[in-house]
Amino acid sequence: MIGPFTFENLPCRVVFGSGTLGAARSEIERLGGTRALVLTTPQQEAEGARLGADLGPLYAGIFPGATMHTPVEVTDRALAAMKACGADCVVALGGGSTTGLGKALALRTGVNQLCIPTTYAGSEMTPILGETRDGLKTTVRDDAVLPETVIYDVDLTLSLPVALTVTSGINAIAHAVEALYARERNPVISLMAEEAIRALAHALPAIVDKPDDRGARSQALYGAWLCGVCLGTVGMALHHKLCHTLGGTFDLPHAETHTIVLPHALAYNAAEVPDAMARISRAIGATDAAGGLYDLARRLNAKLALRDIGMPADGIEKAADLAVTNAYWNPRPLERSAIRDLIARAWSGEPPVVTKTAA
Ligand code: NAD
């Protein structure tokens, strides 16, 4: 039986292809923008400045200070830069950190955003903003932060370092995996999720072999777009909550944490979500979805252990406590001891183990 479900399409214009960065000027004009502030990280300032030059009279200036986890002090500085140059729209060129800054500015000023993602994080497709104040990260969901227009240009992803490509790609797969068993799951998002996992699981090994393989890069970016739609449309569960907790508590890198935790979180939920497991297995071409995702990460030379990305051994108990402290929806009830064991396995890099709720 199909349903019941509710499906809500988020409004966003997408321009996808190779060389599509060239459409930035006309897309800003389409949004009614006359003075655009370009946002980048310090590492991507040169690309931002080049884009600025292409924008001609629409270019108001650049703010190259985007930072991971969107600290409010950085947003305040960007706001001052916006005022100083009289910007009436923002162009975020970069990964999730830069997209986050654009969203924070839109939340405060209502300006339109043109977003040009250069990683696979997917934030550009979501009405979600995570901000950090005094070291504490809070998340808001507000339609005002959803970018109006997104340009995906595969050419911009050719320079994404292979290691970041792998973890960013698996971070994206995690959005689609949890969308398949989300409380708000629906047939349209499930189609997108399975297709997204298939595209990324096939593209990533090809990119590791040949980082400038434009066909594979295009598949990966397409998959990442779909994963972003999944993340923006339905709610997430244990995996995302765990990564949020681990990242915030131990200051772990975002995409690498997702890459390590995903097979373990999926194994925890496996027995409750057979349809999702079947779809993921089919998409990655494996008999077991959780084991298959672990093997994929290993084949792609990703780190497999939380201890290798800076999590201390004595953090396992603390993380288990935190993971069950704030109740949230998950297909399997939150059981501290099984969650503690999965975190311990992820900490040491062991393969995932499917466990079941004690009868
Ligand atoms: P990032 O944006 O921090 O980028 C990592 C580094 O890679 C930066 O130095 C960046 O300049 C560089 N980089 C990006 N693209 C490049 C390219 N093509 N070539 C060379 N270098 C490049 O990392 P991320 O993983 O994209 O984003 C992580 C952040 O996004 C986190 O803060 C996370 O919380 C947030 N996020 C938010 C959402 C949401 O819906 N709100 C979704 C996903 C991620």
Side-chain angles (χ1 to χ4, degrees):
M1 197 172 98
I2 297 174
F5 62 83
T6 304
F7 174 66
E8 193 177 337
N9 231 351
L10 292 172
C12 177
R13 176 177 162 88
V14 169
V15 179
F16 189 103
S18 167
T20 42
L21 184 63
R25 192 168 166 167
S26 59
E27 290 299 329
I28 292 170
E29 283 166 348
R30 197 174 181 280
L31 287 171
T34 59
R35 291 186 63 73
L37 178 68
V38 175
L39 310 171
T40 67
T41 59
Q43 294 78 15
Q44 290 177 290
E45 181 174 1
E47 288 87 334
R50 266 200 300 280
L51 171 62
D54 290 346
L55 295 182
L58 296 183
Y59 182 48
I62 183 165
F63 180 83
T67 308
M68 186 83 109
H69 304 312
T70 328
V72 290
E73 315 84 76
V74 173
T75 303
D76 288 344
R77 288 211 308 277
L79 266 177
M82 258 186 85
K83 285 203 186 98
C85 68
D88 60 7
C89 62
V90 291
V91 180
L93 175 73
S97 299
T98 308
T99 305
L101 177 59
K103 288 175 160 184
L105 293 172
L107 185 67
R108 285 160 177 78
T109 63
V111 287
N112 284 334
Q113 305 168 67
L114 168 60
C115 187
I116 310 174
T118 62
T119 70
Y120 306 133
S123 175
E124 68 281 358
M125 283 293 131
T126 81
I128 305 163
L129 167 65
E131 293 190 284
T132 314
R133 186 185 299 272
D134 301 328
L136 209 71
K137 192 162 177 177
T138 52
T139 303
V140 291
R141 193 182 176 98
D142 189 324
D143 286 351
V145 306
L146 183 72
E148 280 69 20
T149 304
V150 175
I151 293 180
Y152 289 104
D153 187 338
V154 66
D155 302 356
L156 301 174
T157 63
L158 299 177
S159 62
L160 190 63
V162 168
L164 187 54
T165 297
V166 166
T167 54
S168 190
I170 297 179
N171 178 194
I173 288 177
H175 309 330
V177 163
E178 290 226 295
L180 284 170
Y181 55 67
R183 183 167 38 179
E184 305 83 358
R185 67 187 172 279
N186 63 68
V188 177
I189 288 299
S190 294
L191 279 175
M192 285 190 177
E194 186 176 339
E195 168 74 351
I197 297 169
R198 186 201 58 72
L200 277 159
H202 286 82
L204 293 177
I207 294 172
V208 169
D209 282 349
K210 192 171 176 292
D212 62 350
D213 180 334
R214 207 174 283 264
R217 286 284 186 185
S218 173
Q219 278 281 313
L221 193 59
Y222 162 67
W225 163 45
L226 297 178
C227 289
V229 176
C230 291
L231 178 68
T233 311
V234 297
M236 298 285 118
L238 176 69
H239 169 76
H240 280 75
K241 302 292 175 189
L242 261 183
C243 290
H244 189 86
T245 301
L246 291 166
T249 310
F250 307 109
D251 196 23
L252 306 182
H254 176 83
E256 285 180 296
T257 307
H258 274 266
T259 301
I260 295 168
V261 171
L262 181 62
H264 301 279
L266 182 59
Y268 178 89
N269 283 329
E272 305 291 327
V273 295
D275 180 56
M277 297 303 281
R279 281 179 179 265
I280 298 162
S281 299
R282 193 161 62 209
I284 63 176
T287 47
D288 163 46
L293 285 173
Y294 179 84
D295 291 342
L296 177 67
R298 190 169 47 189
R299 273 208 321 277
L300 297 172
N301 303 317
K303 288 187 180 140
L304 300 172
L306 291 172
R307 69 173 163 203
D308 292 341
I309 60 166
M311 179 171 161
D314 62 7
I316 296 172
E317 298 300 331
K318 187 176 178 188
D321 284 339
L322 290 172
V324 295
T325 303
N326 294 325
Y328 48 86
W329 185 85
N330 189 61
R332 174 178 168 187
L334 303 177
E335 295 162 36
R336 190 190 180 284
S337 126
I339 289 178
R340 185 236 164 254
D341 291 350
L342 93 77
I343 297 171
R345 276 190 288 277
W347 183 81
S348 59
E350 290 164 40
V353 172
V354 171
T355 57
K356 286 190 182 150
T357 302

